[in-house]
Amino acid sequence: MFSVGIITASDKGAQGQRVDESGKVIQDILSEKGYIVIRYVVLPDDYEQLSREMIYMADTLKANLILTTGGTGFSERDITPEATKSVIEREVPGVAEAIRAYSLAFTPRAMLSRGVCGIRGKTVILNLPGSPKAVKESLEYVMDSIQHGLEILLGKTAECARQ
């Protein structure tokens, strides 16, 4: 199956002042789907650390998928999308747009999410919201399409047409 790296962006989580529930939700959902979690880290909202970790997971560990949670809002320290944009080679805007559109059914504040999605080499990188509930809803909505995208990216299938 596919390998995944999980990054939680949280100053308080990195300092041990908050339990990382969102990263655990990601881990649980993907493990149930047969993905292999090869690395899971909690980092502060720091541009250099986040971008360096994404590069490490993609280039050295060869993760097929990197999922981040947190750091996508309006706070001055929320810089996960900027760190992601600095490491991706190709954007996949439809995934982040789909998450926002779907999430609007639950809360109008979904429009404030700045999460992005893109590709670095053979790795898909996706920013998820910070709340466990939003992570669960978002992943359940996009994972089938993400998996199909991974199959295409890795040459396991070439067709995108509906059957």
Side-chain angles (χ1 to χ4, degrees), residues 15-82:
Q15 295 170 1
Q17 297 174 358
R18 177 183 292 158
V19 175
D20 174 33
E21 295 177 26
S22 297
K24 299 283 188 214
V25 169
I26 295 171
Q27 187 173 29
D28 291 345
I29 290 172
L30 291 184
S31 293
E32 287 175 14
K33 292 187 175 292
Y35 285 69
I36 299 165
V37 177
I38 58 173
R39 186 162 166 85
Y40 172 12
V41 297
V42 179
L43 297 175
D45 292 292
D46 179 82
Y47 181 91
E48 293 299 325
Q49 287 185 56
L50 291 169
S51 53
R52 191 169 44 244
E53 184 64 34
M54 285 183 238
I55 291 168
Y56 174 69
M57 287 181 175
D59 296 0
T60 303
L61 298 182
K62 305 293 186 197
N64 304 128
L65 176 64
I66 297 170
L67 295 173
T68 72
T69 178
T72 61
F74 278 33
S75 168
E76 188 175 334
R77 299 272 304 155
D78 288 338
I79 45 74
T80 304
E82 289 73 24

Side-chain angles (χ1 to χ4, degrees), residues 88-124:
I88 61 173
E89 297 157 345
R90 298 185 287 158
E91 287 193 49
V92 185
V95 176
E97 291 166 4
I99 289 172
R100 278 187 285 276
Y102 179 72
S103 298
L104 282 170
F106 303 103
T107 175
R109 293 186 180 170
M111 67 181 78
L112 301 177
S113 174
R114 301 181 314 104
V116 299
C117 181
I119 298 168
R120 178 182 178 87
K122 296 289 186 182
T123 304
V124 173

Side-chain angles (χ1 to χ4, degrees), residues 121-140:
K122 296 289 186 182
T123 304
V124 173
I125 303 173
L126 172 60
N127 302 152
L128 294 169
S131 84
K133 180 179 182 292
V135 164
K136 183 178 187 309
E137 293 164 354
S138 299
L139 273 182
E140 289 174 350

